[in-house]
Amino acid sequence: MRHNLRRTCLGLLIAMLTPAAFGQPAPPPKPSIAYGEILKESKPDEWRQPDPANTLYMDLQSGRVIIELAPRFTPLHAANIRTLVRKGYFDGLAIVRVQDNYVTQWGDADGKKPLPIPGRLAPEFTLSPANALPFTPLPDGDVYAPQAGFVDGFPAARDPATNTAWLVHCYGMVGAGRDNDVDTGIGSELYAVNGSPTRHIDRNTAVVGRVLKGMELLSSLPRGTGEGLGMYEKPEQRVPIVRVRLAADVPERERVHLEVLNTDSAAFRAIIEWRRNRHDDFYKVPAGHVDVCNIPIPVRSEG
Amino acid sequence: MRHNLRRTCLGLLIAMLTPAAFGQPAPPPKPSIAYGEILKESKPDEWRQPDPANTLYMDLQSGRVIIELAPRFTPLHAANIRTLVRKGYFDGLAIVRVQDNYVTQWGDADGKKPLPIPGRLAPEFTLSPANALPFTPLPDGDVYAPQAGFVDGFPAARDPATNTAWLVHCYGMVGAGRDNDVDTGIGSELYAVNGSPTRHIDRNTAVVGRVLKGMELLSSLPRGTGEGLGMYEKPEQRVPIVRVRLAADVPERERVHLEVLNTDSAAFRAIIEWRRNRHDDFYKVPAGHVDVCNIPIPVRSEG
């Protein structure tokens, strides 16, 4: 933790692991390649450009948060959010809640802004049928679900017995806040997980996407103190949202061109294995396992 | 997520769950009690006061971070840290690294301050023998270890086959930074997990304790941008540590009197069950499971 990640020592490591004992059968190769090397050796077609019609630019005074929506899982919420964004609903609203190790949440604190969408929406907490989804499963199990893995670049879980799947509440995932009634989450109030995965919320809200860039702008905000929930108690503590736009509505030359590694690619499978078994000079005991919320899904600037 | 935690609705819920069907056998009681109620009904002897000789007050300009050391697991590190604190080693040093969704780390960025302890220390990454530890196991398994649970108020894992146990890298856990050599983590550079559990570090560093209070002061700091590791690139970005003291060295009347719920108590077992199966008005699908890093270990002000 002092210098451990500063040096990847890849060359040295590869040299050390190269079997040198003459006449001996070579041991099986170790998955010793480093993260940076995996990305470097990935192929162009292993990356995708997020759909601009499902990409949000949320501009704060501190910078831009880029969110990719997950229309396969929450199409009605994605449609609502697109409408809200295009009508300028979020512009001038604010981050109203930052609860430590829980969520950063934004919306209309006073509930006074007219909604350009209906006040109720079908829940979209799970997706079914799901057994035919392009699901990249993880080999080490999951505490909460029969299977965990990735779909479309998002962390997910599924239950083959019930033919359902759902996105899971890892760090940086974005969900739709709601009241107690399941149809009150309409996309006008959103939250992002800012600490430990809140997996107990899985299947209880619509998970609408993931922060691709700028999550640190949401996680480093002062914590609120209100109601034991991290609400900002004074209006002046709220963090204004300058505006939210769809990438598709921004001129091409002004867009932020990001690429996300496909989670069904060989390169991503190498990342899973790298994360399961670290073999650099720092790690002495490879974990041998990995959970769905402990694997970075690589995002890079295009070109 | 909008108002869900504002109302516990406990009374109503209990009323709704009370079996009313005349002449029918009562169904098994549901674990419907709320978090606040569990704490309220806990007994005084289910709480403990952290040992002042193993409690650190780290004062920042923004407030106080209180850390409880874990001497059962890392006694040599605890001894080193006590010496460092008593010699004023940390006073005037700084938080030098805040990597998003990883760690907040503090120590001597320039490596110039004389160390009042030797520069090497036995690793203490795992504890053995461990099978006789007072271990409160969790019922839902763990992705990384044969068993996960709690020891002495800390999240832990163990492997009965090898008779070893170790503290795990949940949010707010504190570890000793090191260089690549395993004996270079001596307690003079510490980190706290500020995002998702970094379970891949388990058994690779000495986990020395846990933040009991003030973790939000470490998690809400601006992220550093250096070396891809969150290092603060300019010295003026570093967050000064005003001073660190042992609670035992602070006059009794100036101490912060905290109590921590015993993790082998009936009240804590009720909290585990509450966390596994939420039955308030917000949660429609109880998770049915819980992982070791998703259970709050209650801390309260004494009296």
Side-chain angles (χ1 to χ4, degrees), chain A:
Chain A
M1 305 301 294
R2 196 179 297 173
H3 302 297
N4 57 309
L5 294 176
R6 288 187 207 172
R7 331 165 182 146
T8 62
C9 300
L10 182 78
L12 180 65
L13 196 63
I14 287 175
M16 288 169 63
L17 292 171
T18 302
F22 182 77
Q24 298 291 318
K30 284 198 177 188
S32 58
I33 191 166
Y35 181 75
E37 289 295 311
I38 295 170
L39 297 192
K40 212 167 113 185
E41 293 178 13
S42 65
K43 298 182 179 62
D45 65 2
E46 292 184 305
W47 298 80
R48 66 185 170 85
Q49 299 166 12
D51 177 3
N54 284 306
T55 303
L56 309 181
Y57 296 160
M58 179 163 76
D59 291 330
L60 309 175
Q61 284 158 359
S62 58
R64 176 169 288 178
V65 179
I66 302 181
I67 296 166
E68 182 179 16
L69 299 177
R72 189 202 293 268
F73 284 85
T74 42
L76 300 176
H77 284 75
N80 261 12
I81 292 168
R82 275 191 293 269
T83 300
L84 290 163
V85 166
R86 287 185 158 147
K87 299 278 188 188
Y89 175 77
F90 292 105
D91 304 354
L93 292 182
I95 294 167
V96 297
R97 172 189 186 189
V98 185
Q99 182 171 358
D100 194 57
N101 192 26
Y102 204 55
V103 297
T104 297
Q105 191 159 332
W106 57 96
D108 182 9
D110 305 314
K112 290 184 180 163
K113 195 153 179 173
L115 277 165
I117 53 172
R120 303 269 169 167
L121 186 68
E124 298 188 309
F125 299 169
T126 59
L127 176 65
S128 186
N131 287 354
L133 284 179
F135 193 92
T136 301
L138 288 170
D140 303 309
D142 183 68
V143 169
Y144 295 89
Q147 290 185 358
F150 297 88
V151 178
D152 298 345
F154 298 99
R158 69 175 174 181
D159 182 355
T162 58
N163 202 4
T164 56
W166 57 95
L167 298 184
V168 298
H169 280 83
C170 299
Y171 185 87
M173 293 296 284
V174 177
R178 63 166 171 86
D179 290 325
N180 286 340
D181 289 348
V182 293
D183 60 357
T184 54
I186 59 176
S188 62
E189 186 155 345
L190 299 172
Y191 63 86
V193 177
N194 67 20
S196 280
T198 56
R199 295 287 307 273
H200 53 291
I201 314 179
D202 289 358
R203 298 180 292 161
N204 281 287
T205 62
V207 178
V208 302
R210 169 171 104 92
V211 176
L212 295 184
K213 192 169 162 45
M215 182 59 210
E216 70 281 4
L217 302 176
L218 302 180
S219 59
S220 64
L221 293 170
R223 275 47 182 163
T225 50
E227 306 177 51
L229 296 174
M231 308 302 294
Y232 286 135
E233 298 190 83
K234 298 174 190 165
E236 61 267 28
Q237 294 174 311
R238 295 175 191 154
V239 179
I241 296 169
V242 178
R243 64 177 173 178
V244 181
R245 286 178 297 172
L246 271 184
D249 296 338
V250 171
E252 172 75 24
R253 67 182 181 286
E254 294 174 26
R255 290 186 198 160
V256 181
H257 293 277
L258 298 179
E259 291 187 326
V260 181
L261 189 64
N262 288 325
T263 46
D264 57 357
S265 66
F268 189 72
R269 284 191 291 273
I271 288 197
I272 293 172
E273 193 49 37
W274 160 79
R275 198 69 173 178
R276 295 178 76 221
N277 290 297
R278 300 282 286 258
H279 286 286
D280 62 41
D281 285 350
F282 181 79
Y283 288 88
K284 310 306 178 186
V285 182
H289 305 80
V290 75
D291 73 89
V292 66
C293 289
N294 196 12
I295 302 172
I297 303 168
V299 177
R300 70 180 182 189
S301 294
E302 193 185 333

Side-chain angles (χ1 to χ4, degrees), chain B residues 284-298:
Chain B
K284 310 306 178 187
V285 183
H289 305 80
V290 75
D291 73 90
V292 66
C293 289
N294 196 14
I295 301 173
I297 303 169

Side-chain angles (χ1 to χ4, degrees), chain B residues 8 14 35 64 97 102 119 170 177 183 188 237 254 259 273:
Chain B
T8 62
I14 286 175
Y35 182 76
R64 176 169 288 177
R97 172 189 186 190
Y102 204 56
C170 300
D183 59 357
S188 60
Q237 294 175 311
E254 292 173 26
E259 292 187 325
E273 194 48 38

